[in-house]
């Protein structure tokens, strides 16, 4: 009957990717204590991970009706709009979250990641450096700094960052993928393959990880294995850019030009 326990169990279940359980405990928490902003926020994140974005937004708005400066909900609204593809609105929410609580690391890291996607690298570095000033061992920000180094072809620096992120958080699919991409750029293809396989072991339903491994198989002249990985990526997400591009390039190599164009 204790709402806080259900709210906490909701978040832990979400992190374990047990989304039905997370939603059930989140719903129980808000039924027991409708005025607990954190309970609404945790339920909203579970709905967001379940790709139910309208329900997720409604939960975060209910949390903000209780506490207009509740930074986790401001940050979570940023992530909802990012998933919807509205990057401008997402950046606005992340900035509101960082302003509401300047010591809150997550919106600073999210800002850095999204600004990198937008190729606004100096602003991305500024946000991530703020996060790392608050906590030099913040694995997510270290990983995103690695992504910045990789984007700027500073491969040795990227390698250091991804390895450090994995020291701090060994089960971390984004850092494993970053490590694999960096090793691929350094033409250390056997090690890159191992890192990509580890990413898939962490999250077998990650289309980007399958497409990454497919690209490595393609580069090492194993087209059948490459095509299988690209098809796995597209089976998980039919709109996977990485899966479509990888398969398209492979079709060109195989002389299947009409299929490649499609």
């Amino acid at each position: 009957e204790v709402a806080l326990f259900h709210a906490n169990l909701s978040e832990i279940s979400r992190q374990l990717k047990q989304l039905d359980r997370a939603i059930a405990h989140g719903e129980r928490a808000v039924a027991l204590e409708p005025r607990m902003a954190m309970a609404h926020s945790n339920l909203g994140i579970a709905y967001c991970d379940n790709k139910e974005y309208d329900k997720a937004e409604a939960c975060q708005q209910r949390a903000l009706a209780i506490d207009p400066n509740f930074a986790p909900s401001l940050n979570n609204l940023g992530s909802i709009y990012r998933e919807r593809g509205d990057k401008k609105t997402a950046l606005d929410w992340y900035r509101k979250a960082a302003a509401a609580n300047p010591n809150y690391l997550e919106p600073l890291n999210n800002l850095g990641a999204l600004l990198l996607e937008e190729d606004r690298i100096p602003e991305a570095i500024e946000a991530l450096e703020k996060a790392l000033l608050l906590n030099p061992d913040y694995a997510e920000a270290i990983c995103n700094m690695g992504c910045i180094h990789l984007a700027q072809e500073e491969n040795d620096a990227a390698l250091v960052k991804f390895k450090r992120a994995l020291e701090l958080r060994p089960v971390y699919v984004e850092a494993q993928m970053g490590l694999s991409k960096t090793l691929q750029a350094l033409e250390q293809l056997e090690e890159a393959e191992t890192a990509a396989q580890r990413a898939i072991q962490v999250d077998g339903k990650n289309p980007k990880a399958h497409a990454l491994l497919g690209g490595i198989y393609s580069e090492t002249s194993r087209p059948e294995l490459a095509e299988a990985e690209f098809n796995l990526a597209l089976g998980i997400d039919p709109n996977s850019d990485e899966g479509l591009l990888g398969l398209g390039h492979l079709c060109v190599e195989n002389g299947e030009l009409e299929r490649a164009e499609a």
Side-chain angles (χ1 to χ4, degrees):
E1 303 299 318
V2 181
L4 179 62
F5 297 167
H6 286 283
N8 288 341
L9 193 50
S10 172
E11 174 58 10
I12 293 299
S13 299
R14 181 189 75 85
Q15 290 187 28
L16 292 169
K17 302 189 185 300
Q18 300 169 1
L19 297 181
D20 290 344
R21 192 165 182 242
I23 289 166
H25 283 290
E27 293 284 9
R28 180 69 176 145
V30 300
L32 286 167
E33 184 49 79
R35 297 293 300 167
M36 185 187 291
M38 183 264 278
H40 289 285
S41 183
N42 285 2
L43 176 58
I45 310 169
Y47 275 128
C48 184
D49 282 10
N50 210 38
K51 303 189 186 306
E52 297 181 74
Y53 301 125
D54 291 346
K55 286 184 179 179
E57 182 173 8
C59 290
Q60 304 304 342
Q61 293 292 1
R62 281 194 287 273
L64 291 172
I66 297 163
D67 180 357
N69 291 312
F70 190 60
S73 283
L74 297 168
N75 177 66
N76 292 333
L77 280 166
S79 297
I80 290 165
Y81 277 92
R82 185 180 180 183
E83 290 295 331
R84 286 171 169 165
D86 185 348
K87 294 181 180 180
K88 182 179 182 300
T89 305
L91 287 170
D92 289 342
W93 283 114
Y94 288 145
R95 288 194 175 102
K96 286 176 184 175
N101 182 353
N103 294 319
Y104 185 24
L105 295 171
E106 199 168 324
L108 291 170
N109 180 62
N110 288 337
L111 264 175
L114 190 49
L115 287 163
L116 173 59
E117 282 181 24
E118 294 284 271
D119 203 28
R120 294 160 63 176
I121 286 176
E123 292 172 81
I125 291 170
E126 184 183 357
L128 293 170
E129 283 181 342
K130 280 182 185 175
L132 290 168
L133 199 62
L134 291 165
N135 180 2
D137 291 332
Y138 184 32
E140 286 81 355
I142 292 168
C143 178
N144 280 322
M145 286 296 284
C147 292
I148 287 173
H149 288 307
L150 185 58
Q152 295 181 309
E153 299 182 8
E154 298 165 354
N155 296 324
D156 290 336
L159 204 61
V160 170
K161 291 291 192 296
F162 291 129
K163 285 182 175 178
R164 177 60 181 152
L166 287 163
E167 281 176 16
L168 293 163
R169 187 176 149 194
V171 181
Y172 189 3
V173 67
E174 288 81 7
Q176 282 289 358
M177 287 169 58
L179 179 62
S180 177
K181 289 175 186 175
T182 307
L183 290 165
Q184 190 178 11
L186 290 166
E187 298 183 5
Q188 297 176 25
L189 297 179
E190 191 174 333
E191 294 91 337
E193 181 180 331
T194 301
Q197 287 169 339
R198 282 183 185 147
I200 290 168
Q201 286 169 5
V202 173
D203 183 3
K205 293 183 178 179
N206 189 311
K208 293 183 178 182
H210 284 289
L212 175 60
L213 183 57
I216 294 165
Y217 284 147
S218 184
E219 194 171 343
T220 52
S221 304
R222 288 175 283 174
E224 295 86 359
L225 290 174
E227 183 163 357
E229 290 298 328
F230 294 136
N231 284 330
L232 281 169
L234 292 167
I236 297 161
D237 177 8
N239 295 315
S240 164
D241 289 343
E242 294 86 356
L244 289 166
L245 285 168
L247 194 54
H249 288 305
L250 192 63
C251 290
V252 170
E253 293 292 323
N254 293 339
E256 303 173 78
L257 299 184
E258 286 186 15
R259 188 179 173 209
E261 183 177 354

